[in-house]
Amino acid sequence: MYYNLKKYHEAIECYNKASEINLNRAEVWNNMGEAYTRLKDYKKALDMSKKVLKDFNTAKNYTIVADIYYLMNNYDESAKYYERAYAKNKDVKVLINLSNIFYTYLNKKKEAISYLETYHRQYSCNKEVCQTLLRYYQENQNIDGMISISNTLF
């Protein structure tokens, strides 16, 4: 309830108590990390999220850590964790986040486009993937790419 009322400090106290009595540790730590994120205490949020990741090595937990690094403007680390999440589960949202970091912040435009093209070849055209790819092709004046993706989209 405290979390829903945006009383994050009180929510963290409750999560600490729940953690002490061994309630679902991953869920408690994820909730605590989210509360710290809402308070913009990214260091503590990252600590909590990494604890969860250490014990529960899932794509979701890699994504949570990547999201926090992104909020901290640490795009190199964010990309590393998004890549690990994407390797575990070919989730489109993770792919879009990863490609946007590569393209926009890390100046790794070829890698961003390569990830999207590979997804497109393997899984067909997801609207969001193809729209992002089309935008990148337009920005790079790749006429052949624009024609190919436009034929797929329309």
Side-chain angles (χ1 to χ4, degrees):
M1 279 185 5
Y2 283 126
Y3 184 87
N4 290 334
L5 294 171
K6 298 181 181 180
K7 294 184 176 190
Y8 302 118
H9 292 287
E10 292 87 346
I12 290 168
E13 288 178 33
C14 290
Y15 296 140
N16 275 323
K17 289 177 185 171
S19 179
E20 290 170 8
I21 59 173
N22 290 323
L23 291 177
N24 185 339
R25 211 173 32 178
E27 185 178 340
V28 170
W29 286 349
N30 273 332
N31 290 340
M32 197 179 312
E34 180 63 29
Y36 281 124
T37 300
R38 298 289 180 165
L39 291 169
K40 297 186 184 334
D41 189 340
Y42 300 128
K43 184 182 179 329
K44 286 183 182 174
L46 190 59
D47 290 343
M48 295 309 304
S49 297
K50 282 188 171 182
K51 275 186 186 181
V52 176
L53 181 59
K54 182 179 176 187
D55 290 347
F56 304 95
N57 189 333
T58 66
K60 175 188 172 194
N61 291 331
Y62 275 110
T63 302
I64 291 169
V65 172
D67 291 343
I68 296 167
Y69 274 122
Y70 182 85
L71 291 170
M72 297 170 75
N73 299 324
N74 187 336
Y75 303 117
D76 285 316
E77 287 299 310
S78 183
K80 287 177 192 174
Y81 282 90
Y82 279 132
E83 280 184 303
R84 292 175 186 150
Y86 187 68
K88 288 188 161 294
N89 180 3
K90 303 298 187 223
D91 183 85
V92 170
K93 290 180 182 177
V94 172
L95 173 61
I96 297 299
N97 288 341
L98 176 60
S99 67
N100 283 335
I101 289 172
F102 276 157
Y103 194 89
T104 306
Y105 298 106
L106 299 179
N107 199 28
K108 295 182 177 181
K109 295 179 186 211
K110 288 181 182 178
E111 288 92 334
I113 291 169
S114 177
Y115 265 103
L116 296 168
E117 288 174 336
T118 300
Y119 183 93
H120 175 60
R121 276 192 308 275
Q122 291 178 341
Y123 304 104
S124 178
C125 189
N126 169 286
K127 185 177 179 181
E128 194 172 2
V129 170
C130 286
Q131 286 177 337
T132 303
L133 197 50
L134 178 61
R135 182 170 45 101
Y136 292 168
Y137 285 153
Q138 288 170 333
E139 289 175 13
N140 289 287
Q141 300 176 354
N142 180 337
I143 303 299
D144 292 335
M146 287 189 287
I147 292 169
S148 173
I149 291 298
S150 293
N151 288 336
T152 305
L153 279 170
F154 305 110

mmCIF file with all atom_site columns, all heavy atoms in Angstrom, residues 37-53:
data_model
loop_
_atom_site.group_PDB
_atom_site.id
_atom_site.type_symbol
_atom_site.label_atom_id
_atom_site.label_alt_id
_atom_site.label_comp_id
_atom_site.label_asym_id
_atom_site.label_entity_id
_atom_site.label_seq_id
_atom_site.pdbx_PDB_ins_code
_atom_site.Cartn_x
_atom_site.Cartn_y
_atom_site.Cartn_z
_atom_site.occupancy
_atom_site.B_iso_or_equiv
_atom_site.pdbx_formal_charge
_atom_site.auth_seq_id
_atom_site.auth_comp_id
_atom_site.auth_asym_id
_atom_site.auth_atom_id
_atom_site.pdbx_PDB_model_num
ATOM 1   N N   . THR A 1 37 ? 14.450 3.328   -6.964  1.00 0.00 ? 37 THR A N   1
ATOM 2   C CA  . THR A 1 37 ? 14.463 3.989   -8.269  1.00 0.00 ? 37 THR A CA  1
ATOM 3   C C   . THR A 1 37 ? 13.518 5.181   -8.264  1.00 0.00 ? 37 THR A C   1
ATOM 4   O O   . THR A 1 37 ? 13.855 6.261   -8.758  1.00 0.00 ? 37 THR A O   1
ATOM 5   C CB  . THR A 1 37 ? 14.070 2.998   -9.389  1.00 0.00 ? 37 THR A CB  1
ATOM 6   O OG1 . THR A 1 37 ? 15.013 1.919   -9.398  1.00 0.00 ? 37 THR A OG1 1
ATOM 7   C CG2 . THR A 1 37 ? 14.071 3.675   -10.741 1.00 0.00 ? 37 THR A CG2 1
ATOM 8   N N   . ARG A 1 38 ? 12.332 4.992   -7.691  1.00 0.00 ? 38 ARG A N   1
ATOM 9   C CA  . ARG A 1 38 ? 11.368 6.106   -7.619  1.00 0.00 ? 38 ARG A CA  1
ATOM 10  C C   . ARG A 1 38 ? 11.907 7.271   -6.796  1.00 0.00 ? 38 ARG A C   1
ATOM 11  O O   . ARG A 1 38 ? 11.569 8.417   -7.057  1.00 0.00 ? 38 ARG A O   1
ATOM 12  C CB  . ARG A 1 38 ? 10.040 5.629   -7.036  1.00 0.00 ? 38 ARG A CB  1
ATOM 13  C CG  . ARG A 1 38 ? 9.341  4.581   -7.832  1.00 0.00 ? 38 ARG A CG  1
ATOM 14  C CD  . ARG A 1 38 ? 8.794  5.145   -9.096  1.00 0.00 ? 38 ARG A CD  1
ATOM 15  N NE  . ARG A 1 38 ? 8.118  4.086   -9.824  1.00 0.00 ? 38 ARG A NE  1
ATOM 16  C CZ  . ARG A 1 38 ? 7.304  4.288   -10.812 1.00 0.00 ? 38 ARG A CZ  1
ATOM 17  N NH1 . ARG A 1 38 ? 7.059  5.510   -11.228 1.00 0.00 ? 38 ARG A NH1 1
ATOM 18  N NH2 . ARG A 1 38 ? 6.746  3.279   -11.427 1.00 0.00 ? 38 ARG A NH2 1
ATOM 19  N N   . LEU A 1 39 ? 12.742 6.942   -5.818  1.00 0.00 ? 39 LEU A N   1
ATOM 20  C CA  . LEU A 1 39 ? 13.363 7.991   -4.993  1.00 0.00 ? 39 LEU A CA  1
ATOM 21  C C   . LEU A 1 39 ? 14.610 8.576   -5.655  1.00 0.00 ? 39 LEU A C   1
ATOM 22  O O   . LEU A 1 39 ? 15.252 9.451   -5.098  1.00 0.00 ? 39 LEU A O   1
ATOM 23  C CB  . LEU A 1 39 ? 13.742 7.414   -3.622  1.00 0.00 ? 39 LEU A CB  1
ATOM 24  C CG  . LEU A 1 39 ? 12.585 7.052   -2.696  1.00 0.00 ? 39 LEU A CG  1
ATOM 25  C CD1 . LEU A 1 39 ? 13.085 6.260   -1.502  1.00 0.00 ? 39 LEU A CD1 1
ATOM 26  C CD2 . LEU A 1 39 ? 11.853 8.316   -2.252  1.00 0.00 ? 39 LEU A CD2 1
ATOM 27  N N   . LYS A 1 40 ? 14.944 8.042   -6.832  1.00 0.00 ? 40 LYS A N   1
ATOM 28  C CA  . LYS A 1 40 ? 16.125 8.451   -7.594  1.00 0.00 ? 40 LYS A CA  1
ATOM 29  C C   . LYS A 1 40 ? 17.425 8.136   -6.852  1.00 0.00 ? 40 LYS A C   1
ATOM 30  O O   . LYS A 1 40 ? 18.453 8.766   -7.055  1.00 0.00 ? 40 LYS A O   1
ATOM 31  C CB  . LYS A 1 40 ? 16.067 9.915   -8.009  1.00 0.00 ? 40 LYS A CB  1
ATOM 32  C CG  . LYS A 1 40 ? 14.910 10.222  -8.953  1.00 0.00 ? 40 LYS A CG  1
ATOM 33  C CD  . LYS A 1 40 ? 14.973 11.632  -9.452  1.00 0.00 ? 40 LYS A CD  1
ATOM 34  C CE  . LYS A 1 40 ? 13.820 12.081  -10.313 1.00 0.00 ? 40 LYS A CE  1
ATOM 35  N NZ  . LYS A 1 40 ? 13.058 11.193  -11.065 1.00 0.00 ? 40 LYS A NZ  1
ATOM 36  N N   . ASP A 1 41 ? 17.361 7.131   -5.979  1.00 0.00 ? 41 ASP A N   1
ATOM 37  C CA  . ASP A 1 41 ? 18.553 6.632   -5.305  1.00 0.00 ? 41 ASP A CA  1
ATOM 38  C C   . ASP A 1 41 ? 19.031 5.430   -6.120  1.00 0.00 ? 41 ASP A C   1
ATOM 39  O O   . ASP A 1 41 ? 18.841 4.267   -5.764  1.00 0.00 ? 41 ASP A O   1
ATOM 40  C CB  . ASP A 1 41 ? 18.238 6.222   -3.859  1.00 0.00 ? 41 ASP A CB  1
ATOM 41  C CG  . ASP A 1 41 ? 19.489 5.914   -3.060  1.00 0.00 ? 41 ASP A CG  1
ATOM 42  O OD1 . ASP A 1 41 ? 20.553 5.645   -3.683  1.00 0.00 ? 41 ASP A OD1 1
ATOM 43  O OD2 . ASP A 1 41 ? 19.410 5.934   -1.820  1.00 0.00 ? 41 ASP A OD2 1
ATOM 44  N N   . TYR A 1 42 ? 19.647 5.735   -7.254  1.00 0.00 ? 42 TYR A N   1
ATOM 45  C CA  . TYR A 1 42 ? 19.981 4.702   -8.229  1.00 0.00 ? 42 TYR A CA  1
ATOM 46  C C   . TYR A 1 42 ? 21.062 3.750   -7.727  1.00 0.00 ? 42 TYR A C   1
ATOM 47  O O   . TYR A 1 42 ? 21.053 2.574   -8.090  1.00 0.00 ? 42 TYR A O   1
ATOM 48  C CB  . TYR A 1 42 ? 20.400 5.339   -9.552  1.00 0.00 ? 42 TYR A CB  1
ATOM 49  C CG  . TYR A 1 42 ? 19.307 6.186   -10.159 1.00 0.00 ? 42 TYR A CG  1
ATOM 50  C CD1 . TYR A 1 42 ? 19.551 7.491   -10.555 1.00 0.00 ? 42 TYR A CD1 1
ATOM 51  C CD2 . TYR A 1 42 ? 18.008 5.685   -10.326 1.00 0.00 ? 42 TYR A CD2 1
ATOM 52  C CE1 . TYR A 1 42 ? 18.551 8.278   -11.108 1.00 0.00 ? 42 TYR A CE1 1
ATOM 53  C CE2 . TYR A 1 42 ? 17.004 6.461   -10.867 1.00 0.00 ? 42 TYR A CE2 1
ATOM 54  C CZ  . TYR A 1 42 ? 17.278 7.750   -11.266 1.00 0.00 ? 42 TYR A CZ  1
ATOM 55  O OH  . TYR A 1 42 ? 16.281 8.514   -11.810 1.00 0.00 ? 42 TYR A OH  1
ATOM 56  N N   . LYS A 1 43 ? 21.946 4.219   -6.887  1.00 0.00 ? 43 LYS A N   1
ATOM 57  C CA  . LYS A 1 43 ? 22.984 3.333   -6.361  1.00 0.00 ? 43 LYS A CA  1
ATOM 58  C C   . LYS A 1 43 ? 22.346 2.212   -5.540  1.00 0.00 ? 43 LYS A C   1
ATOM 59  O O   . LYS A 1 43 ? 22.674 1.036   -5.714  1.00 0.00 ? 43 LYS A O   1
ATOM 60  C CB  . LYS A 1 43 ? 23.996 4.107   -5.534  1.00 0.00 ? 43 LYS A CB  1
ATOM 61  C CG  . LYS A 1 43 ? 25.151 3.235   -5.058  1.00 0.00 ? 43 LYS A CG  1
ATOM 62  C CD  . LYS A 1 43 ? 26.131 4.000   -4.200  1.00 0.00 ? 43 LYS A CD  1
ATOM 63  C CE  . LYS A 1 43 ? 27.271 3.162   -3.681  1.00 0.00 ? 43 LYS A CE  1
ATOM 64  N NZ  . LYS A 1 43 ? 27.041 1.781   -3.429  1.00 0.00 ? 43 LYS A NZ  1
ATOM 65  N N   . LYS A 1 44 ? 21.434 2.560   -4.640  1.00 0.00 ? 44 LYS A N   1
ATOM 66  C CA  . LYS A 1 44 ? 20.769 1.534   -3.832  1.00 0.00 ? 44 LYS A CA  1
ATOM 67  C C   . LYS A 1 44 ? 19.865 0.660   -4.697  1.00 0.00 ? 44 LYS A C   1
ATOM 68  O O   . LYS A 1 44 ? 19.784 -0.551  -4.477  1.00 0.00 ? 44 LYS A O   1
ATOM 69  C CB  . LYS A 1 44 ? 19.978 2.180   -2.689  1.00 0.00 ? 44 LYS A CB  1
ATOM 70  C CG  . LYS A 1 44 ? 20.864 2.704   -1.584  1.00 0.00 ? 44 LYS A CG  1
ATOM 71  C CD  . LYS A 1 44 ? 20.057 3.264   -0.446  1.00 0.00 ? 44 LYS A CD  1
ATOM 72  C CE  . LYS A 1 44 ? 20.985 3.825   0.631   1.00 0.00 ? 44 LYS A CE  1
ATOM 73  N NZ  . LYS A 1 44 ? 20.228 4.506   1.684   1.00 0.00 ? 44 LYS A NZ  1
ATOM 74  N N   . ALA A 1 45 ? 19.214 1.264   -5.660  1.00 0.00 ? 45 ALA A N   1
ATOM 75  C CA  . ALA A 1 45 ? 18.373 0.479   -6.569  1.00 0.00 ? 45 ALA A CA  1
ATOM 76  C C   . ALA A 1 45 ? 19.217 -0.535  -7.325  1.00 0.00 ? 45 ALA A C   1
ATOM 77  O O   . ALA A 1 45 ? 18.834 -1.704  -7.469  1.00 0.00 ? 45 ALA A O   1
ATOM 78  C CB  . ALA A 1 45 ? 17.650 1.402   -7.550  1.00 0.00 ? 45 ALA A CB  1
ATOM 79  N N   . LEU A 1 46 ? 20.374 -0.101  -7.768  1.00 0.00 ? 46 LEU A N   1
ATOM 80  C CA  . LEU A 1 46 ? 21.283 -0.983  -8.497  1.00 0.00 ? 46 LEU A CA  1
ATOM 81  C C   . LEU A 1 46 ? 21.786 -2.107  -7.594  1.00 0.00 ? 46 LEU A C   1
ATOM 82  O O   . LEU A 1 46 ? 21.834 -3.275  -8.009  1.00 0.00 ? 46 LEU A O   1
ATOM 83  C CB  . LEU A 1 46 ? 22.445 -0.168  -9.055  1.00 0.00 ? 46 LEU A CB  1
ATOM 84  C CG  . LEU A 1 46 ? 23.372 -0.860  -10.029 1.00 0.00 ? 46 LEU A CG  1
ATOM 85  C CD1 . LEU A 1 46 ? 22.617 -1.355  -11.253 1.00 0.00 ? 46 LEU A CD1 1
ATOM 86  C CD2 . LEU A 1 46 ? 24.476 0.098   -10.452 1.00 0.00 ? 46 LEU A CD2 1
ATOM 87  N N   . ASP A 1 47 ? 22.134 -1.769  -6.354  1.00 0.00 ? 47 ASP A N   1
ATOM 88  C CA  . ASP A 1 47 ? 22.584 -2.789  -5.405  1.00 0.00 ? 47 ASP A CA  1
ATOM 89  C C   . ASP A 1 47 ? 21.511 -3.861  -5.205  1.00 0.00 ? 47 ASP A C   1
ATOM 90  O O   . ASP A 1 47 ? 21.809 -5.059  -5.227  1.00 0.00 ? 47 ASP A O   1
ATOM 91  C CB  . ASP A 1 47 ? 22.950 -2.167  -4.058  1.00 0.00 ? 47 ASP A CB  1
ATOM 92  C CG  . ASP A 1 47 ? 24.221 -1.338  -4.104  1.00 0.00 ? 47 ASP A CG  1
ATOM 93  O OD1 . ASP A 1 47 ? 25.004 -1.484  -5.075  1.00 0.00 ? 47 ASP A OD1 1
ATOM 94  O OD2 . ASP A 1 47 ? 24.427 -0.530  -3.174  1.00 0.00 ? 47 ASP A OD2 1
ATOM 95  N N   . MET A 1 48 ? 20.276 -3.436  -5.007  1.00 0.00 ? 48 MET A N   1
ATOM 96  C CA  . MET A 1 48 ? 19.183 -4.391  -4.799  1.00 0.00 ? 48 MET A CA  1
ATOM 97  C C   . MET A 1 48 ? 18.974 -5.240  -6.052  1.00 0.00 ? 48 MET A C   1
ATOM 98  O O   . MET A 1 48 ? 18.811 -6.461  -5.963  1.00 0.00 ? 48 MET A O   1
ATOM 99  C CB  . MET A 1 48 ? 17.881 -3.663  -4.445  1.00 0.00 ? 48 MET A CB  1
ATOM 100 C CG  . MET A 1 48 ? 17.891 -2.922  -3.131  1.00 0.00 ? 48 MET A CG  1
ATOM 101 S SD  . MET A 1 48 ? 18.436 -3.870  -1.695  1.00 0.00 ? 48 MET A SD  1
ATOM 102 C CE  . MET A 1 48 ? 17.352 -5.244  -1.710  1.00 0.00 ? 48 MET A CE  1
ATOM 103 N N   . SER A 1 49 ? 18.981 -4.617  -7.188  1.00 0.00 ? 49 SER A N   1
ATOM 104 C CA  . SER A 1 49 ? 18.718 -5.327  -8.437  1.00 0.00 ? 49 SER A CA  1
ATOM 105 C C   . SER A 1 49 ? 19.838 -6.310  -8.765  1.00 0.00 ? 49 SER A C   1
ATOM 106 O O   . SER A 1 49 ? 19.576 -7.400  -9.289  1.00 0.00 ? 49 SER A O   1
ATOM 107 C CB  . SER A 1 49 ? 18.518 -4.335  -9.573  1.00 0.00 ? 49 SER A CB  1
ATOM 108 O OG  . SER A 1 49 ? 17.381 -3.543  -9.301  1.00 0.00 ? 49 SER A OG  1
ATOM 109 N N   . LYS A 1 50 ? 21.042 -5.952  -8.437  1.00 0.00 ? 50 LYS A N   1
ATOM 110 C CA  . LYS A 1 50 ? 22.158 -6.880  -8.669  1.00 0.00 ? 50 LYS A CA  1
ATOM 111 C C   . LYS A 1 50 ? 22.105 -8.068  -7.712  1.00 0.00 ? 50 LYS A C   1
ATOM 112 O O   . LYS A 1 50 ? 22.502 -9.174  -8.072  1.00 0.00 ? 50 LYS A O   1
ATOM 113 C CB  . LYS A 1 50 ? 23.495 -6.148  -8.573  1.00 0.00 ? 50 LYS A CB  1
ATOM 114 C CG  . LYS A 1 50 ? 23.815 -5.352  -9.818  1.00 0.00 ? 50 LYS A CG  1
ATOM 115 C CD  . LYS A 1 50 ? 25.216 -4.809  -9.753  1.00 0.00 ? 50 LYS A CD  1
ATOM 116 C CE  . LYS A 1 50 ? 25.616 -4.196  -11.077 1.00 0.00 ? 50 LYS A CE  1
ATOM 117 N NZ  . LYS A 1 50 ? 27.003 -3.708  -11.061 1.00 0.00 ? 50 LYS A NZ  1
ATOM 118 N N   . LYS A 1 51 ? 21.599 -7.847  -6.494  1.00 0.00 ? 51 LYS A N   1
ATOM 119 C CA  . LYS A 1 51 ? 21.398 -8.964  -5.569  1.00 0.00 ? 51 LYS A CA  1
ATOM 120 C C   . LYS A 1 51 ? 20.423 -9.977  -6.168  1.00 0.00 ? 51 LYS A C   1
ATOM 121 O O   . LYS A 1 51 ? 20.654 -11.172 -6.112  1.00 0.00 ? 51 LYS A O   1
ATOM 122 C CB  . LYS A 1 51 ? 20.824 -8.466  -4.229  1.00 0.00 ? 51 LYS A CB  1
ATOM 123 C CG  . LYS A 1 51 ? 21.803 -7.986  -3.238  1.00 0.00 ? 51 LYS A CG  1
ATOM 124 C CD  . LYS A 1 51 ? 21.063 -7.674  -1.940  1.00 0.00 ? 51 LYS A CD  1
ATOM 125 C CE  . LYS A 1 51 ? 21.958 -7.044  -0.934  1.00 0.00 ? 51 LYS A CE  1
ATOM 126 N NZ  . LYS A 1 51 ? 21.256 -6.769  0.335   1.00 0.00 ? 51 LYS A NZ  1
ATOM 127 N N   . VAL A 1 52 ? 19.343 -9.454  -6.704  1.00 0.00 ? 52 VAL A N   1
ATOM 128 C CA  . VAL A 1 52 ? 18.347 -10.338 -7.307  1.00 0.00 ? 52 VAL A CA  1
ATOM 129 C C   . VAL A 1 52 ? 18.957 -11.075 -8.487  1.00 0.00 ? 52 VAL A C   1
ATOM 130 O O   . VAL A 1 52 ? 18.796 -12.289 -8.631  1.00 0.00 ? 52 VAL A O   1
ATOM 131 C CB  . VAL A 1 52 ? 17.095 -9.542  -7.758  1.00 0.00 ? 52 VAL A CB  1
ATOM 132 C CG1 . VAL A 1 52 ? 16.109 -10.456 -8.469  1.00 0.00 ? 52 VAL A CG1 1
ATOM 133 C CG2 . VAL A 1 52 ? 16.430 -8.865  -6.573  1.00 0.00 ? 52 VAL A CG2 1
ATOM 134 N N   . LEU A 1 53 ? 19.670 -10.357 -9.321  1.00 0.00 ? 53 LEU A N   1
ATOM 135 C CA  . LEU A 1 53 ? 20.271 -10.959 -10.509 1.00 0.00 ? 53 LEU A CA  1
ATOM 136 C C   . LEU A 1 53 ? 21.265 -12.060 -10.145 1.00 0.00 ? 53 LEU A C   1
ATOM 137 O O   . LEU A 1 53 ? 21.325 -13.090 -10.814 1.00 0.00 ? 53 LEU A O   1
ATOM 138 C CB  . LEU A 1 53 ? 20.956 -9.881  -11.353 1.00 0.00 ? 53 LEU A CB  1
ATOM 139 C CG  . LEU A 1 53 ? 21.611 -10.345 -12.641 1.00 0.00 ? 53 LEU A CG  1
ATOM 140 C CD1 . LEU A 1 53 ? 20.593 -11.002 -13.566 1.00 0.00 ? 53 LEU A CD1 1
ATOM 141 C CD2 . LEU A 1 53 ? 22.280 -9.172  -13.338 1.00 0.00 ? 53 LEU A CD2 1
#
